[in-house]
Amino acid sequence: MGPGWVDWLGDPVGIQKRLDWPRDGVLFDVRESAFWPEEWGERPTEVEEALPAARQRLRTVPVLVPIYSHRFMPAAPAPAGSPVFSVYQTDVIYYGSDLASYFQREFFNTADRESSPHRIEFWSDLAEGRWI
């Protein structure tokens, strides 16, 4: 417990805001920065049309669960050893190839183990700079 951690027994509205953070950040960039992956098809010309279309596309994207601050892991079903992402809008990076390496990096300031993280649909594309 403490600043940055999710109080899973606390305020349900606050928990939902933390769960919505990654997708809300993507929607912010759709609105403000014209973010639009080519896999989504042609972008509607008006923002008022693009946002609902993006929201619909994001319903198929794996849900991320907050770990600490703006660090997230994919929710189940996800492969064991799934990566931890640092997510701020569409600025997404791998912050650990798995939960153990994330904790080493975040709290013990040691380097991540040399391993390739599992790919997680959409979020790995952002982390690898595919659409930026």
Side-chain angles (χ1 to χ4, degrees), residues 24-75:
D24 287 349
V26 172
L27 291 172
F28 178 88
D29 278 355
V30 166
R31 184 178 64 246
E32 300 297 328
S33 302
F35 174 78
W36 196 266
E38 50 186 59
E39 283 85 358
W40 289 3
E42 188 173 337
R43 180 187 166 99
T45 55
E46 300 297 322
V47 172
E48 296 79 22
E49 296 171 11
L51 282 172
R55 197 171 283 112
Q56 181 66 30
R57 296 286 185 168
L58 288 170
R59 286 190 181 113
T60 66
V61 168
V63 172
L64 296 181
V65 176
I67 304 296
Y68 173 77
S69 187
H70 56 279
R71 314 294 193 238
F72 293 82
M73 285 189 76

Side-chain angles (χ1 to χ4, degrees), residues 52-120:
R55 197 171 283 112
Q56 181 66 30
R57 296 286 185 168
L58 288 170
R59 286 190 181 113
T60 66
V61 168
V63 172
L64 296 181
V65 176
I67 304 296
Y68 173 77
S69 187
H70 56 279
R71 314 294 193 238
F72 293 82
M73 285 189 76
S82 290
V84 173
F85 297 101
S86 176
V87 179
Y88 202 93
Q89 294 163 223
T90 54
D91 181 8
V92 176
I93 63 171
Y94 292 113
Y95 217 75
S97 58
D98 59 21
L99 189 59
S101 67
Y102 158 70
F103 279 120
Q104 288 174 340
R105 181 177 185 177
E106 185 81 68
F107 300 106
F108 300 105
N109 204 23
T110 59
D112 190 8
R113 295 177 299 195
E114 293 294 322
S115 65
S116 297
H118 287 286
R119 290 198 92 265
I120 305 300

